[in-house]
Amino acid sequence: MPNNSAWAVILAAGKGRRLAEACGGSAKQFLNWQGLPLWWHSAKVFAASPLIRGLVFVFPKDRLTEAQADLSRLDQQDSLGLPWLCVAGGEKRQDSVRLGLAALPQACEEVLIHDSARPFLSPELISTVLGPLRQDTPEGEEPFLGVIPGLPLTDTIKEVLPDGSVLRTPARSFLRAVQTPQAFKLPALRAAHARVEAEGVEVTDDASVMEYCGHRVLVAPGEIDNKKITLPEDLALLAPPFRRWPCSGYGYDVHRYGGNRPLRLGGILIPGAELVVAHSDGDVLLHALMDAILGCVGLGDIGQHFPDKDPAWENVSSSLLLEKVLEMAAEKDFWLTQADLTIIAQRPRIAPHAQNIRRNVARLLGLPENRVNVKATTEEGLGFTGQGQGLKAVALVSGMR
Ligand code: CTP
Ligand code: MG
């Protein structure tokens, strides 16, 4: 048995009607994925298998010259390392297969037919189908002339009449959803395709052609990822993976006592506390929090966005500024997960207000309360907080982006 005679036929001659609307009318096999046409991805997988001797590409008749030129260019940039040729396809899939088979060289004895709309196959799948095709058949048994990848079904399948009524329910355990590449002995597949053509039989895969002619076909394990791009929703399979990375930001702010703004912390008014000096409402805690959020997304600090020279921010509510900062962060795909806040003040005592502050900050951030922590400390009478000249706050914010 020659071990070196398998070629692959890569089908790329369809119109992709079910998807065409969604992708601007171009047939799906020409979609650009990772900077390359979809059909090229299957070609690279076959080229990576030592079992494959050469490739036949089947392109739409009206795009043959252009596709062949693209193929030559891609092969020059990143060599396939095996011989290939291109032919024009036909009206139906089975016509394209027949035309592809006709182009195979004399020496070829086995062929794998593959839909270029299935770019996710692995090179292992090629051995999975070729292996059993090459195995000797026990005495007295009919050989398998075709091996195809298939997966068991999870849904129950109904055969349904045109009026919607159920005709029958085949036992699920016997059913398989089959894929490509499908491997065949070439002379038998050629003859079978000639016969279905002559008899006007329509099929949707090549195993059906062999079954029609009474040949034995084996189903080998398929691959879950080996999906066919068919419907607009399948385009999601081609979308780049959306990755978020953890990030954290640190914020620090100070306000001096002795001004004319009533003390607010986390948007909560602290009655009886000393007044603070500020251009905005002087909420030291929300200011540290905003800087921490800006830190997460690399957007500088609040001074840059809300300068204290700008009359627009005169006595502005820091809750409102926080809303703006959250909008800016959302535009950077930031997803906030946690805020840890510390108020450093000799007076007033924060403990009686901590729970209120926590609840309000969680509300402002749209986080559950257990994702926000508010703590307070004095500096033991030391420094400017210790001497009661002012207060400060630090914030650590974590999230993903
Ligand atoms: N194919 C082909 N020649 C045809 C029809 C189909 O080479 N005349 C190829 C397609 O390019 C595809 C594979 O066969 O890679 C599987 O067919 P299918 O998923 O049905 O693709 P299309 O026929 O292009 O799509 P649709 O049925 O939605 O029009
Ligand atoms: Mg089709």
Side-chain angles (χ1 to χ4, degrees):
M1 186 80 55
N3 260 358
N4 214 6
S5 61
W7 278 56
V9 172
I10 298 183
L11 293 175
K15 299 217 160 40
R17 284 200 184 87
R18 284 168 285 181
L19 193 77
E21 250 172 55
C23 57
S26 184
K28 59 193 180 185
Q29 64 273 27
F30 294 100
L31 284 173
N32 190 301
W33 184 43
Q34 297 174 349
L36 296 160
L38 204 59
W39 52 260
W40 175 256
H41 294 271
S42 301
K44 286 298 287 181
V45 176
F46 281 99
S49 166
L51 301 173
I52 300 297
R53 180 80 183 76
L55 303 175
V56 170
F57 292 86
V58 189
F59 288 120
K61 203 172 176 182
D62 59 352
R63 294 184 78 159
L64 183 60
T65 320
E66 163 208 347
Q68 190 156 0
D70 287 343
L71 182 48
S72 299
R73 185 177 44 81
L74 291 170
D75 191 29
Q76 261 168 24
Q77 287 167 7
D78 180 18
S79 174
L80 288 169
L82 36 70
W84 53 263
L85 48 99
C86 296
V87 295
E91 187 54 33
K92 299 193 292 290
R93 183 186 180 281
Q94 65 200 79
D95 301 326
S96 297
V97 174
R98 213 179 47 252
L99 292 159
L101 295 180
L104 287 168
Q106 276 288 315
C108 172
E109 293 188 18
E110 297 153 333
V111 65
L112 280 79
I113 313 289
H114 183 64
D115 294 338
S116 63
R118 292 186 191 269
F120 311 117
L121 80 156
S122 76
E124 290 72 40
L125 192 56
I126 294 163
S127 0
T128 302
V129 290
L130 259 181
L133 190 71
R134 289 177 170 177
Q135 241 159 43
D136 291 331
T137 318
E139 277 268 325
E141 262 187 39
E142 282 262 326
F144 287 111
L145 299 184
V147 183
I148 64 176
L151 290 174
L153 295 165
T154 50
D155 291 330
T156 295
I157 303 297
K158 306 280 180 195
E159 259 187 72
V160 180
L161 293 171
D163 71 358
S165 61
V166 173
L167 179 64
R168 68 180 141 235
T169 306
R172 190 172 60 193
S173 57
F174 288 114
L175 297 175
R176 298 290 179 273
V178 306
Q179 315 174 334
T180 68
Q182 301 190 344
F184 302 99
K185 295 292 182 190
L186 180 58
L189 185 67
R190 264 204 186 115
H193 262 286
R195 182 167 159 198
V196 296
E197 160 72 353
E199 296 182 18
V201 178
E202 284 204 19
V203 293
T204 54
D205 79 337
D206 302 287
S208 309
V209 175
M210 298 292 269
E211 294 150 40
Y212 181 77
C213 296
H215 297 310
R216 276 182 101 201
V217 173
L218 177 72
V219 177
E223 292 180 340
I224 291 173
D225 290 341
N226 183 21
K227 299 242 171 25
K228 184 160 70 98
I229 306 295
T230 309
L231 301 171
E233 48 269 36
D234 298 331
L235 290 178
L237 297 170
L238 302 178
F242 185 64
R243 286 225 180 86
R244 285 180 190 273
W245 298 97
C247 59
S248 38
Y250 173 78
Y252 172 80
D253 196 33
V254 170
H255 277 277
R256 187 202 300 264
Y257 287 139
N260 58 357
R261 302 273 192 258
L263 181 65
R264 279 181 184 278
L265 291 171
I268 298 291
L269 192 65
I270 312 293
E274 255 176 275
L275 304 180
V276 293
V277 179
H279 180 67
S280 68
D281 68 358
D283 190 326
V284 72
L285 188 60
L286 290 190
H287 292 184
L289 174 61
M290 284 188 270
D291 269 356
I293 296 170
L294 291 169
C296 284
V297 290
L299 279 179
D301 60 39
I302 49 172
Q304 267 168 260
H305 298 284
F306 316 112
D308 58 9
K309 305 279 173 292
D310 187 340
W313 313 122
E314 167 89 38
N315 204 13
V316 68
S317 149
S318 295
S319 306
L320 200 91
L321 298 182
L322 175 60
E323 217 172 280
K324 290 185 188 296
V325 166
L326 287 172
E327 275 166 25
M328 287 183 234
E331 270 171 35
K332 297 271 177 195
D333 286 327
F334 178 59
W335 172 39
L336 190 148
T337 54
Q338 177 99 25
D340 185 19
L341 311 171
T342 307
I343 301 157
I344 300 134
Q346 195 67 36
R347 49 172 210 268
R349 258 175 55 73
I350 305 299
H353 306 285
Q355 186 49 34
N356 262 350
I357 295 172
R358 180 189 198 192
R359 192 176 304 126
N360 196 49
V361 172
R363 182 185 64 82
L364 293 171
L365 294 177
L367 284 179
E369 253 176 77
N370 62 6
R371 291 274 165 185
V372 175
N373 189 47
V374 175
K375 41 195 192 309
T377 183
T378 68
E379 287 186 303
E380 301 286 345
L382 298 171
F384 72 84
T385 68
Q387 285 154 25
Q389 294 172 314
L391 79 176
K392 56 186 170 185
V394 295
L396 184 69
V397 162
S398 318
M400 307 284 285
R401 63 183 274 240

